Amino acid sequence: MSLQDDLTAVRRNLNELVRSVERLEQDVARQSPAAATKPAGPAGMVSVPDTPYDQSKWTDTDDEGLGVRDRRAP
């Protein structure tokens, strides 16, 4: 294939991709009109504080994969 043939194939594939994305956007808009107009934002984000956790939360816990504290691992 020549360079011109490669460029033509790339343009055709790109145009097909653009058409597919447009059809997908239309399908999504038809399925859920409210979801198509709702802007994506940080509504689902949860901030995690930088302060250390209270060590009393970890009293009587097992080390995952290592077994119970103060005992030998199997």
Side-chain angles (χ1 to χ4, degrees):
M1 287 182 110
S2 70
L3 180 60
Q4 188 62 32
D5 293 338
D6 289 343
L7 289 175
T8 302
V10 167
R11 283 189 192 111
R12 187 176 5 161
N13 289 336
L14 182 58
N15 289 335
E16 184 179 334
L17 177 62
V18 169
R19 285 191 301 273
S20 296
V21 169
E22 288 171 350
R23 282 194 307 266
L24 180 61
E25 287 173 341
Q26 291 170 357
D27 289 346
V28 168
R30 268 187 258 130
Q31 294 293 323
S32 176
T37 59
K38 183 179 176 184
M45 294 178 65
V46 177
S47 64
V48 178
D50 289 334
T51 58
Y53 288 109
D54 181 14
Q55 291 298 319
S56 66
K57 290 182 181 180
W58 309 114
T59 304
D60 297 329
T61 60
D62 295 342
D63 290 328
E64 186 174 328
L66 299 177
V68 181
R69 282 178 212 245
D70 303 327
R71 293 191 199 161
R72 286 186 46 208

